[in-house]
Amino acid sequence: MLFIVAALLLLGFALGTVAHAPLGFSVVAAVVIAGWLGVFALRERHGRRRTTADR
């Protein structure tokens, strides 16, 4: 329960920060984060395929 409260507080802080940032900055930050998450997902998928094939 404490973890959920902390996560909601952090989310509220992040959303509050984005609400005060210019729209262009928010869009660029969102694209950068989405790209990073995409690269991370591809690396994870490739890494798991590689380790299961070696076994």
Side-chain angles (χ1 to χ4, degrees):
M1 184 71 176
L2 185 61
F3 176 77
I4 293 172
V5 171
L8 288 174
L9 283 172
L10 288 173
L11 181 64
F13 178 75
L15 289 177
T17 302
V18 170
H20 296 288
L23 182 62
F25 174 78
S26 298
V27 170
V28 169
V31 168
V32 168
I33 291 169
W36 179 78
L37 289 173
V39 169
F40 177 76
L42 288 173
R43 289 183 63 189
E44 284 292 313
R45 175 174 277 185
H46 180 69
R48 288 188 181 177
R49 282 185 185 169
R50 192 175 204 173
T51 55
T52 55
D54 291 339
R55 290 183 183 175

